[in-house]
Amino acid sequence: LGATICTRSKPRCGGCPMRGLCIAEHEGRQAELPEGKPARALPERESTVTVFTDGKHVLLERRPPTGLWGGLLTLPERSGESPESFAQRQGCRLLGTQALPPVRHAFTHFRVTIHALRCDVASSSCPVGESGWEWLPRERVASAALPTPIRKLLLSAQHLR
């Protein structure tokens, strides 16, 4: 009956063989019953990224073609290396750092909270020492091939300088 007559979205009570015995009809709860499955709890993950900027450009990395955010530009993830040593390795002079408000994003299979550290550098003319890295002008953030939460983080951080 649940697949054809007693459905959650459009119950067909008039054609139900259980009509006189139905508790939902008797109590006027046809719109509530049968109850849907409870939402599955999504796993929570955290990520920490660094926003290297000279105020006019932001340093981005091209992700590998497969996997999460495959082929998109994204911020460098911090995996133990300090911002100071990363900036030095890229040939940039670090001027200061500031923690940015975290950004939350839900995927179909998990939720992520992205923590970001803004690192101001002297100039985006710093040579990018590794392939796959590029300095993106800030005015192109809204239209660049960026993951939604990274774009949201960068657009919210634009007023900081």
Side-chain angles (χ1 to χ4, degrees):
L1 292 177
T4 58
I5 294 176
C6 193
T7 62
R8 278 197 329 254
S9 59
K10 294 181 182 177
R12 294 184 9 227
C13 298
C16 181
M18 303 297 291
R19 185 162 188 190
L21 303 171
C22 179
I23 294 172
E25 183 183 27
H26 180 38
E27 294 178 359
R29 298 179 56 205
Q30 296 97 317
E32 299 172 30
L33 299 173
E35 292 179 353
K37 294 179 185 177
R40 182 174 51 100
L42 294 178
E44 297 280 342
R45 296 185 186 172
E46 294 198 17
S47 176
T48 304
V49 297
T50 308
V51 181
F52 286 96
T53 183
D54 68 348
K56 296 179 182 176
H57 302 84
V58 63
L59 182 63
L60 297 169
E61 174 184 22
R62 176 86 49 197
R63 298 285 294 210
T66 59
L68 185 65
W69 297 337
L72 298 178
L73 290 169
T74 189
L75 294 166
E77 289 192 51
R78 295 193 6 231
S79 57
E81 183 178 22
S82 73
E84 293 82 6
S85 66
F86 182 86
Q88 186 177 26
R89 186 165 49 87
Q90 295 296 333
C92 299
R93 184 168 54 95
L94 188 63
L95 301 175
T97 61
Q98 176 184 6
L100 299 176
V103 171
R104 292 189 41 80
H105 185 74
F107 292 91
T108 55
H109 294 88
F110 67 94
R111 287 189 182 106
V112 65
T113 301
I114 302 173
H115 302 278
L117 180 67
R118 179 186 169 116
C119 295
D120 294 315
V121 294
S123 172
S124 65
S125 63
C126 305
V128 178
E130 302 170 26
S131 66
W133 294 90
E134 66 180 77
W135 287 100
L136 181 74
R138 298 294 296 253
E139 63 270 6
R140 289 191 41 220
V141 166
S143 62
L146 300 170
T148 299
I150 299 300
R151 182 184 330 280
K152 181 179 174 183
L153 188 151
L154 290 173
L155 290 174
S156 70
Q158 285 200 17
H159 69 281
L160 295 175
R161 187 169 181 185

